[in-house]
Amino acid sequence: MTLTFKTSSPSSNRSTPKNSPGDDDSHFLHYRSYRAHTTTLFFVLVSLSLFVIFSLYSSPNAIYFATTRQAKPGTVTYVINVRDSSHIRRIKAEGVLWPGWEVMMIASPEENVMLPLHGENNYTCFYPNGEKLTAKFSVTLPFTNRTTFKCKLPGVYRHHHPIPTPILASSRSFELSPETRWPDLPLWNFVVFDTISTEHDVVLFVKGPNRGLGSNKPPGTFRCVFGEESDSAVRTTVTSSVQEVFRCPFPNVTMDYPVKIYIERVATEKEAMKVVPSVAYFSPKRTLVEPREKSLLCATTMVYNVAKYLREWVMYHATIGIQRFIIYDNGSDDELNDVVEGLKSERYDVTKVLWIWPKTQEAGFSHAAVYGKDMCTWMMYLDVDEFLFSPVWSNKSKPSDQMIRSLLPSDQSMIGQVSFKSLEFGPSNQTRHPAGGVTQGYTCRREEEQRHKSIVLLSAVEHSLYTAIHHFSLKGEYEWRVADKEEGVVNHYKYQAWREFKAKFKRRVSAYVVDWTRVSNPTSRDRTPGLGFKPIEPEGWPQKFCEVMDMRLKRLTEKWFGYPEKNGYRMAWQR
């Protein structure tokens, strides 16, 4: 809609020649006429502005922006763009088939997608059979700011191969062209899903080519492809191919960034060339971290719906020396954002990185080793139900931010990683999440230590970024040290009250650990002894895994963080 107002300048209204008789009266009359025009125009513009503001308030999806421009001298044109059929359009996007028969649609970097307002959503996925399904806004990806939507996959395509990628449009009224092409839909377990750049190369995160644990194919069998699959694409060698992490040098040509990046398996006599589909883009510009002083000690973890645990974990570890926390959020839908913002308001240094990709914990930890390298010297990798503890601290009346530092080697040492054995605690007769937190509620554990967790010198991490969750591979000149139990341990509050513990059945985040509902690999150490393949509470669960009463960290945290109350005490992290 265009509204035009014509105005005249003072000089164009003069009819009496200069210095002619009556010139003063003419000027006076012209001034009054100009004032009248100006006043009228002012009130018209104010009325128009109020109309636009009211319309935006009452119907934000009907009118979505207003601009002004000077069309020609003496004319002011106000353009109000109304969302009508001319703004119904196709959104350029890539798709991935997600677990649960959902399609994740990811808008291309050049797309500026307007998010639905006030609960109204017209975004739609179109399928070749004519079905139109609602595309619900999901998340905005970090670093690239790409908008994502989820839509259901129609049943007719669930046993169809290949599956067509739907068309994402801004409205159900969008009309498909008869020439519409339907590219194959990549699967979540065979796709290039993310990248991160270093000073010298690009790191790709790829599901599929290296499927099993330890089944890494030689890097020489792959190439990185920068740009769409055409003659103009640029290829570089793959320098490392371990687990879900591939590395390639930058292309030695000028390109318009960001560009699509693929992994290509080189053709052999027995196998044809094969391209791993991609939803990832590459740009050499590194704007991941704002410049600031580097922290000596950081901690990172990957979480899903752990909002109730996070305050205790952050406050405890910050008090004993962790300066910065990097939380990889694997698609939480609880109050995690509110908890993170609350911690930040209390001056805890917490950064949330959205990491939505299913079963990619190892890749996420490798990403953290690159992402955190400019921010942190040492990185502690712990889950939010794990707490680092040294028996030496038991006689300390108050905590110190040097406590974790005292467990690490000197600056001159060539030790690049320190690991601590893990003690697994049982339900300890709890039937719900303890009000005072896991350190207060779970006090009985298994006798034998299980596995370990590590603090890693990020500059010592090997080029492949290989991680087994519990530790990293190091460069050849560095050593790996495992601490004695009297020096330090990790209290792992693993087997909690059943209503909390059964959430683990929903999914496992590791790429190489099967979900517990699958009847596969029943002897895995990741599984719970005596537990089947369904989330059914075993008889006597509250008393299980209780061989040793261990009250050390309970007493210590009560001393450090407990505040006396009329009926006991309240922990600092309780709300």
Side-chain angles (χ1 to χ4, degrees):
M1 176 170 61
T2 303
L3 303 180
T4 304
F5 303 92
K6 192 170 183 180
T7 62
S8 300
S9 64
S11 58
S12 64
N13 287 333
R14 291 176 181 170
S15 56
T16 306
K18 188 178 182 180
N19 297 327
S20 64
D23 187 56
D24 290 342
D25 291 338
S26 174
H27 273 277
F28 176 71
L29 292 173
H30 169 71
Y31 177 70
R32 291 184 61 188
S33 174
Y34 175 64
R35 286 282 307 270
H37 277 79
T38 304
T39 302
T40 302
L41 178 59
F42 173 76
F43 281 110
V44 169
L45 294 181
V46 170
S47 300
L48 177 63
S49 300
L50 291 174
F51 166 74
V52 170
I53 293 171
F54 175 77
S55 299
L56 286 170
Y57 176 78
S58 60
S59 183
N61 288 323
I63 300 177
Y64 64 93
F65 69 88
T67 59
T68 62
R69 68 171 183 263
Q70 186 77 24
K72 59 181 180 180
T75 303
V76 180
T77 304
Y78 289 83
V79 179
I80 303 175
N81 291 302
V82 180
R83 181 173 284 166
D84 54 22
S85 59
S86 65
H87 294 95
I88 296 174
R89 66 186 184 92
R90 175 177 176 174
I91 309 297
K92 185 179 179 183
E94 289 90 22
V96 180
L97 180 61
W98 221 245
W101 300 113
E102 289 186 308
V103 179
M104 175 69 78
M105 298 298 294
I106 309 172
S108 297
E110 67 268 23
E111 285 283 3
N112 185 17
V113 180
M114 295 179 62
L115 299 184
L117 299 174
H118 295 281
E120 298 183 16
N121 180 29
N122 293 317
Y123 288 96
T124 304
C125 285
F126 290 75
Y127 290 91
N129 67 344
E131 288 195 60
K132 305 176 184 180
L133 300 182
T134 299
K136 296 180 180 179
F137 169 73
S138 180
V139 297
T140 300
L141 297 180
F143 313 129
T144 60
N145 293 322
R146 297 171 66 190
T147 308
T148 67
F149 295 84
K150 279 186 178 180
C151 52
K152 287 293 184 180
L153 182 72
V156 67
Y157 295 114
R158 295 185 182 184
H159 302 286
H160 189 283
H161 185 78
I163 300 171
T165 300
I167 302 299
L168 179 65
S170 61
S171 171
R172 295 179 68 88
S173 302
F174 177 75
E175 295 184 6
L176 293 173
S177 165
E179 288 78 33
T180 297
R181 300 180 62 186
W182 306 91
D184 296 348
L185 181 67
L187 308 183
W188 69 270
N189 58 1
F190 191 76
V191 66
V192 182
F193 59 89
D194 210 343
T195 67
I196 187 172
S197 298
T198 72
E199 293 180 1
H200 309 291
D201 67 354
V202 57
V203 181
L204 292 81
F205 300 96
V206 188
K207 291 195 77 73
N210 296 329
R211 285 197 176 274
L213 187 61
S215 62
N216 301 312
K217 294 180 174 61
T221 60
F222 300 99
R223 290 180 297 195
C224 283
V225 182
F226 296 82
E228 298 293 341
E229 301 172 62
S230 64
D231 294 336
S232 61
V234 179
R235 289 164 170 80
T236 65
T237 58
V238 172
T239 60
S240 178
S241 161
V242 175
Q243 293 182 327
E244 296 177 347
V245 180
F246 289 66
R247 301 189 74 154
C248 309
F250 296 145
N252 193 24
V253 296
T254 301
M255 305 184 77
D256 292 329
Y257 298 111
V259 298
K260 196 78 168 286
I261 185 167
Y262 299 82
I263 286 290
E264 177 182 86
R265 190 173 67 191
V266 179
T268 65
E269 293 181 358
K270 297 182 178 180
E271 294 182 301
M273 186 271 290
K274 187 173 184 179
V275 173
V276 180
S278 175
V279 294
Y281 284 76
F282 159 74
S283 177
K285 298 177 181 179
R286 301 193 69 208
T287 56
L288 302 181
V289 183
E290 59 184 67
R292 52 186 291 191
E293 184 179 356
K294 195 171 186 177
S295 299
L296 174 68
L297 268 167
C298 300
T300 193
T301 189
M302 186 170 291
V303 303
Y304 173 73
N305 286 357
V306 297
K308 68 174 68 174
Y309 309 107
L310 191 61
R311 280 182 59 80
E312 180 181 10
W313 188 79
V314 167
M315 294 175 71
Y316 171 80
H317 287 106
T319 304
I320 60 175
I322 296 297
Q323 299 163 304
R324 183 180 299 186
F325 297 85
I326 304 173
I327 311 297
Y328 279 68
D329 176 14
N330 197 218
S332 299
D333 54 14
D334 62 354
E335 298 76 32
L336 181 66
N337 286 337
D338 294 338
V339 174
V340 168
E341 291 305 313
L343 287 166
K344 291 165 71 172
S345 70
E346 297 174 50
R347 306 185 67 82
Y348 291 98
D349 194 338
V350 183
T351 298
K352 194 193 83 167
V353 176
L354 196 58
W355 186 263
I356 63 173
W357 316 107
K359 297 190 74 66
T360 54
Q361 186 178 21
E362 291 85 352
F365 281 4
S366 295
H367 186 282
V370 178
Y371 174 64
K373 191 175 180 181
D374 290 341
M375 296 185 282
C376 314
T377 302
W378 292 85
M379 183 75 80
M380 180 175 75
Y381 286 83
L382 281 187
D383 294 338
V384 293
D385 59 356
E386 296 175 323
F387 289 70
L388 183 61
F389 163 70
S390 172
V392 176
W393 303 340
S394 295
N395 60 357
K396 302 292 184 182
S397 60
K398 59 182 180 179
S400 163
D401 60 7
Q402 295 299 306
M403 284 179 162
I404 297 181
R405 179 68 184 90
S406 68
L407 303 177
L408 299 179
S410 66
D411 294 339
Q412 291 73 37
S413 171
M414 292 305 292
I415 295 175
Q417 184 168 235
V418 180
S419 296
F420 302 89
K421 296 176 182 178
S422 179
L423 303 175
E424 294 184 348
F425 284 71
S428 307
N429 283 316
Q430 299 290 336
T431 57
R432 57 172 50 89
H433 179 65
V438 296
T439 57
Q440 296 301 295
Y442 301 111
T443 56
C444 197
R445 62 172 174 82
R446 302 171 76 178
E447 183 172 6
E448 185 180 354
E449 68 269 8
Q450 304 287 325
R451 301 186 175 181
H452 57 267
K453 286 298 176 73
S454 304
I455 304 178
V456 185
L457 180 66
L458 292 181
S459 61
V461 173
E462 200 263 333
H463 177 74
S464 70
L465 301 174
Y466 170 78
T467 175
I469 301 297
H470 312 288
H471 59 265
F472 277 81
S473 286
L474 304 179
K475 296 175 182 176
E477 64 270 27
Y478 287 94
E479 299 176 5
W480 174 17
R481 178 174 176 269
V482 179
D484 187 84
K485 285 194 298 182
E486 282 68 40
E487 183 182 357
V489 295
V490 170
N491 276 16
H492 185 187
Y493 300 103
K494 181 176 181 178
Y495 308 109
Q496 300 187 16
W498 179 255
R499 65 172 62 183
E500 307 297 333
F501 182 80
K502 69 178 181 181
K504 294 178 181 287
F505 271 92
K506 188 168 184 179
R507 59 171 158 177
R508 309 298 290 151
V509 294
S510 170
Y512 306 105
V513 172
V514 298
D515 291 339
W516 289 356
T517 53
R518 290 183 57 190
V519 185
S520 176
N521 200 12
T523 60
S524 168
R525 293 181 65 188
D526 181 71
R527 290 191 179 274
T528 301
L531 201 60
F533 303 104
K534 296 181 180 179
I536 300 174
E537 181 176 358
E539 184 178 352
W541 177 262
Q543 293 80 39
K544 284 186 176 295
F545 314 111
C546 180
E547 299 169 355
V548 177
M549 289 298 297
D550 189 342
M551 307 280 285
R552 294 175 297 178
L553 191 53
K554 171 183 169 62
R555 292 178 180 134
L556 189 62
T557 51
E558 181 183 343
K559 179 170 58 176
W560 287 351
F561 300 99
Y563 295 92
E565 287 190 338
K566 183 177 181 180
N567 296 319
Y569 61 92
R570 185 178 187 84
M571 302 302 290
W573 40 76
Q574 284 184 255
R575 286 298 184 99

